[in-house]
Amino acid sequence: FDVGMGQHVSNDEEGGRPAWDNQVQFLLACIAYAVGLGNIWRFPYLAQTYGGGAFLIPYILMLVFEGVPLFLLELAVGQRLRQGSIGAWTKFHPYLGGIGIGSMVVSFMVGLYYNTIIAWCFWYICNSFTDPLPYAKCPLTDNNTAYVEECQNSGVTDYFWYRDTLNISPSIDDTGGIVWWVLICLILAWTLIWVTMIKGIESSGKAMYVTATFPYLVLFIFLVRGLTLRGSGEGVTFLFTPDIQVLSNPQVWLDAATQIFFSLGLGFGGVIAFASYNPKKQNCQRDALIIALTNSFTSIFASIVIFAILGYRATLKYEDCLDGNIAVLLDTYEKPDGYITYDNYAEELIKLNGSTNWQGTSITIESLNLSSCDVQTYLAEASQGTGLAFIVFTEAIINMPGSPVWSVLFFMMLLSLGLGSMFGTVEGVVTPLFDLGLKVPKPILTGIICLISCAIGLIFCTRAGNYWVDIFNNYAGSIPLLVIAFFEITVISWAYGLKKFDEDLEWITASYWYWRVTIPVISPLLLLAVFIYYLYDSIITPLTYKAWQAELGGEIEIYYPDYVVAISVLITLLCTLWIPLGAIYHLIQRYR
């Protein structure tokens, strides 16, 4: 395709298109877009699961050979062609417009459920201005004679999440009507997005100064506070204790590649949209390195903060467990209070084992059925996603002095992270539509998109809404992005031509051998490997989900109904079929 970027495109006027106020604003916008909720609640989980510090080895390698090259590619395409995803890929060749449409549809689909998470953050923030926090203790029954059984069976933070927040139904089949407080928060979230983006980057760019920097301020505050809590050292040590043997597991490498890919926001069209407001000759290589490295640094920094707090939580659970065992030992062996402490617990177990009570009966420790208390076990309970943010982390917060303050700070941080990512996601929808020449003012176009998204988002406000969030997360924000990114890098490397792209980079700033090796060969192969893995995993993994059961106070795993499976496939196809359909449409138009 002898069209494209740099020297191969006729120089057009820079004027007429909005621009960032300065380069810092652009960098902050991209950082706010790339650094999202996944940096807080997925990377720490992966690092803890796969050998702590050992996970950094495949993570850094995937950053170098997959993340940075792909990010540079999208920056360069958007910056030089000064178009959103649809316009940019159509400029390469009309047959490739489907790549841009696919990116736009993915951004739209992901925005639907991502803003629901922001709505949940609003709900938690509103409930954080009370002392004690509403998720600090179980509620009483209607006659005030006992605690609610579901709360006692599940735990107070689980109960507040599943019952007081989601009011969740026992299965995805049971829609159960609208949860009105979630609906109000969702309307608030979409209204905030529209108001902030009403003037495009002229207004959202200003907001980036807050959404990009505020999370780092809160993380630093939590780091200082967390490291002063007892047990924080055990948490951080647990996170980074390396287990080199896990590197022989291919799953580790695939998860590292997946985390890099998704955390940078590749394939959504948001990076292309943001870069399209840059001057054509801005140093995009420097920008790609700054943004990608900042994103990875944030993941590591957030992991230290998270596990410092989780170390404190594990220590509290360990001490509670010991308190229960000590009470049993003191009562059984008739010892005075204070006879057994945390320090001499292990020693006293050995001494008391087989000793006699006042009746002269020899009692062994095994016969007492004491609880097994182990800090490492409690640390290993760390989960990911909403489970980490809304259940596990809140359990630690309620035990911290001044818990309402920490609750407000934590969920304001999540809100800020979510908003920063949403600005880029919505921009990935608005910019390509606006570039198509729609005769609609941008504020109205943005408002229409937000209104339609909010209306469709009603499904996430039902009692089965959490199940649908998982569906959209698993099928809109995974395989379609891999397909889109693979086509992007293949088109640049092999259809447009690496030599031309190399010349384009020279025209913009400079080109190095690193790009000549990674972009045409290593990065596509890595993407192809991750895609094959995802496809294989989707085929062999049973299509099940975890459904909350009130009577158990826990979850059970059940199969998705057939219609949900069909919807899942439809979501994936809606995001990817535009690529061949766009080519077929233009082929038909050509020979009509």
Side-chain angles (χ1 to χ4, degrees):
F1 305 135
D2 194 13
V3 290
M5 312 182 308
Q7 299 167 348
H8 308 286
V9 180
S10 59
N11 289 329
D12 56 344
E13 294 296 325
E14 296 273 348
R17 187 173 184 82
W20 300 102
D21 290 347
N22 50 65
Q23 187 182 357
V24 172
Q25 192 179 81
F26 164 70
L27 288 174
L28 289 176
C30 286
I31 289 170
Y33 174 54
V35 176
L37 297 172
N39 297 76
I40 301 296
W41 65 33
R42 178 154 172 80
F43 180 86
Y45 166 80
L46 291 175
Q48 177 263 320
T49 302
Y50 294 126
F55 179 73
L56 294 178
I57 297 174
Y59 180 80
I60 292 172
L61 289 175
M62 292 302 172
L63 172 67
V64 171
F65 293 112
E66 178 195 41
V68 174
L70 283 167
F71 201 82
L72 170 76
L73 184 147
E74 293 202 351
L75 280 181
V77 168
Q79 179 175 306
R80 184 59 185 94
L81 299 180
R82 294 179 65 79
Q83 292 279 322
S85 56
I86 297 177
W89 293 109
T90 302
K91 272 192 174 184
F92 275 99
H93 199 285
Y95 286 15
L96 302 177
I99 298 176
I101 298 175
S103 294
M104 183 185 69
V105 173
V106 168
S107 288
F108 179 77
M109 292 283 194
V110 170
L112 292 176
Y113 76 84
Y114 205 87
N115 220 26
T116 306
I117 300 174
I118 293 177
W120 294 338
C121 292
F122 272 124
W123 171 249
Y124 268 78
I125 291 170
C126 292
N127 281 276
S128 296
F129 293 96
T130 60
D131 191 11
L133 291 167
Y135 50 83
K137 61 180 180 180
C138 287
L140 296 171
T141 56
D142 293 336
N143 57 12
N144 294 326
T145 58
Y147 291 114
V148 173
E149 183 179 2
E150 182 183 359
C151 184
Q152 287 186 301
N153 291 338
S154 64
V156 60
T157 54
D158 293 76
Y159 178 82
F160 186 83
W161 168 241
Y162 286 109
R163 187 57 52 214
D164 289 342
T165 300
L166 303 176
N167 194 20
I168 198 166
S169 61
S171 72
I172 197 170
D173 288 319
D174 184 4
T175 303
I178 297 292
V179 182
W180 64 266
W181 52 88
V182 176
L183 174 60
I184 292 174
C185 292
L186 183 66
I187 294 173
L188 176 62
W190 278 113
T191 302
L192 181 60
I193 293 292
W194 177 60
V195 170
T196 308
M197 299 188 65
I198 196 167
K199 293 184 179 180
I201 64 167
E202 296 175 16
S203 55
S204 64
K206 305 293 190 300
M208 298 300 181
Y209 289 111
V210 177
T211 59
T213 57
F214 181 73
Y216 291 98
L217 174 63
V218 176
L219 282 173
F220 180 74
I221 293 172
F222 265 101
L223 176 66
V224 174
R225 183 67 183 100
L227 293 178
T228 63
L229 298 170
R230 64 184 187 277
S232 61
E234 284 81 354
V236 176
T237 300
F238 182 83
L239 170 65
F240 288 116
T241 300
D243 180 8
I244 302 300
Q245 292 181 349
V246 301
L247 297 180
S248 62
N249 181 1
Q251 185 75 34
V252 179
W253 296 84
L254 290 167
D255 279 341
T258 304
Q259 176 64 17
I260 282 290
F261 179 82
F262 293 131
S263 67
L264 284 173
L266 300 167
F268 285 94
V271 175
I272 294 177
F274 279 160
S276 71
Y277 302 114
N278 274 341
K280 290 184 179 180
K281 298 200 71 170
Q282 182 165 300
N283 191 337
C284 57
Q285 296 184 79
R286 178 198 57 206
D287 294 343
L289 289 173
I290 291 173
I291 296 164
L293 292 176
T294 300
N295 178 68
S296 296
F297 164 77
T298 306
S299 296
I300 297 170
F301 180 44
S303 298
I304 296 172
V305 175
I306 293 295
F307 272 86
I309 303 295
L310 293 182
Y312 169 65
R313 168 184 173 268
T315 299
L316 291 180
K317 294 188 73 170
Y318 173 72
E319 291 175 352
D320 287 342
C321 179
L322 287 186
D323 287 338
N325 287 353
I326 289 172
V328 172
L329 292 170
L330 295 179
D331 182 63
T332 302
Y333 294 104
E334 297 181 309
K335 301 296 181 181
D337 289 342
Y339 180 82
I340 303 176
T341 64
Y342 299 151
D343 294 330
N344 68 3
Y345 176 78
E347 181 183 346
E348 290 299 325
L349 278 183
I350 298 173
K351 289 182 180 179
L352 293 174
N353 187 30
S355 60
T356 58
N357 59 9
W358 66 275
Q359 296 175 323
T361 305
S362 177
I363 303 175
T364 61
I365 296 296
E366 290 77 9
S367 65
L368 300 179
N369 294 321
L370 298 177
S371 300
S372 176
C373 306
D374 181 34
V375 173
Q376 301 299 310
T377 301
Y378 300 131
L379 281 169
E381 293 173 356
S383 58
Q384 63 173 321
T386 53
L388 174 62
F390 297 106
I391 298 175
V392 176
F393 206 81
T394 52
E395 187 178 331
I397 286 176
I398 59 178
N399 291 299
M400 295 169 64
S403 55
V405 175
W406 298 110
S407 182
V408 170
L409 280 176
F410 179 69
F411 288 107
M412 284 292 291
M413 178 186 70
L414 293 186
L415 176 66
S416 183
L417 287 168
L419 288 174
S421 296
M422 275 301 298
F423 293 150
T425 302
V426 175
E427 198 67 51
V429 180
V430 174
T431 298
L433 287 177
F434 195 72
D435 288 343
L436 288 176
L438 293 179
K439 303 300 182 182
V440 181
K442 203 164 189 178
I444 295 178
L445 178 61
T446 305
I448 291 172
I449 291 171
C450 291
L451 183 62
I452 293 173
S453 299
C454 188
I456 299 175
L458 290 175
I459 189 174
F460 306 121
C461 299
T462 64
R463 293 184 60 192
N466 189 49
Y467 304 132
W468 287 108
V469 167
D470 288 339
I471 290 288
F472 274 73
N473 180 48
N474 292 335
Y475 294 96
S478 56
I479 290 179
L481 291 173
L482 293 169
V483 173
I484 291 167
F486 181 77
F487 271 95
E488 286 181 350
I489 201 165
T490 303
V491 165
I492 291 292
S493 302
W494 301 103
Y496 177 61
L498 180 63
K499 182 179 179 181
K500 289 181 181 180
F501 184 70
D502 197 48
E503 292 172 356
D504 295 331
L505 286 181
E506 287 282 0
W507 184 84
I508 294 173
T509 171
S511 182
Y512 302 99
W513 64 267
Y514 167 64
W515 311 116
R516 300 175 193 132
V517 174
T518 54
I519 290 178
V521 181
I522 299 177
S523 297
L525 288 177
L526 286 174
L527 272 178
L528 187 61
V530 174
F531 172 73
I532 293 173
Y533 155 71
Y534 251 86
L535 205 59
Y536 171 75
D537 187 62
S538 300
I539 293 172
I540 67 168
T541 303
L543 295 176
T544 60
Y545 68 104
K546 293 181 178 179
W548 181 261
Q549 306 299 305
E551 63 276 7
L552 300 176
E555 295 174 318
I556 61 171
E557 194 163 330
I558 58 179
Y559 285 94
Y560 278 119
D562 291 340
Y563 76 92
V564 175
V565 175
I567 291 174
S568 304
V569 175
L570 180 62
I571 290 172
T572 303
L573 293 177
L574 279 175
C575 297
T576 53
L577 277 182
W578 296 104
I579 299 175
L581 288 178
I584 292 171
Y585 170 78
H586 284 286
L587 187 64
I588 293 174
Q589 290 295 107
R590 179 179 178 181
Y591 291 103
R592 284 185 62 179

